Amino acid sequence: MAGVQVQLIPAPVQGALDAAEEAVDLLLDSGRAPGDVLVITTGEPHPWATHELSFGEASYWALHAAADDVFYTDAAVADRAGARPVVVVAVNGGPEPVTASALAVARTKATTLLIVCGDPQRINSVTATGV
């Protein structure tokens, strides 16, 4: 985690996924490669993840291994994802232990930048050190 920049984007729970999408768009617009970005959701899964999982787990994780596009995953299985330069966490609901776990996993997966989108009070209440 040393050397990883952390950014907090304040957003209400219902707006956290939209804030994460905007962050991803800005990253891509600034020249970041899509395969550099991992997005983790704590509540409802991202529609992309839901769609891709409809083709089966093997196909879904093969997309992650290919690392040629932004990869979206749920907090419950985020630990299966490999490290990426940028990890974006959408704190879009879910129980507090899931949020705490997602943030802990995100810290281990991000090699350059960790962006957390959500309610700062909720985020800081589930992390010992805050974001």
Side-chain angles (χ1 to χ4, degrees), residues 15-86:
L17 195 53
D18 288 338
E21 282 293 321
E22 288 176 26
V24 169
D25 288 344
L26 286 171
L27 289 163
L28 299 178
D29 289 347
S30 70
R32 179 68 70 175
D36 285 355
V37 183
L38 171 68
V39 179
I40 301 171
T41 56
T42 63
E44 286 293 313
H46 188 278
W48 180 92
T50 303
H51 173 76
E52 293 301 329
L53 277 166
S54 71
F55 299 109
E57 288 259 338
S59 171
Y60 173 74
W61 288 106
L63 290 169
H64 176 270
D68 56 11
D69 204 354
V70 176
F71 189 78
Y72 298 85
T73 193
D74 184 79
V77 294
D79 59 337
R80 280 187 63 182
R84 296 236 174 147
V86 180

Side-chain angles (χ1 to χ4, degrees), residues 1 4-5 14-15 20 25 33 41 47 54 73 75 78 82 85 102 104 110 119-121 126:
M1 175 75 189
V4 174
Q5 182 181 355
Q14 63 275 18
D25 288 344
T41 56
S54 71
T73 193
D119 177 359
Q121 285 186 313
V126 299

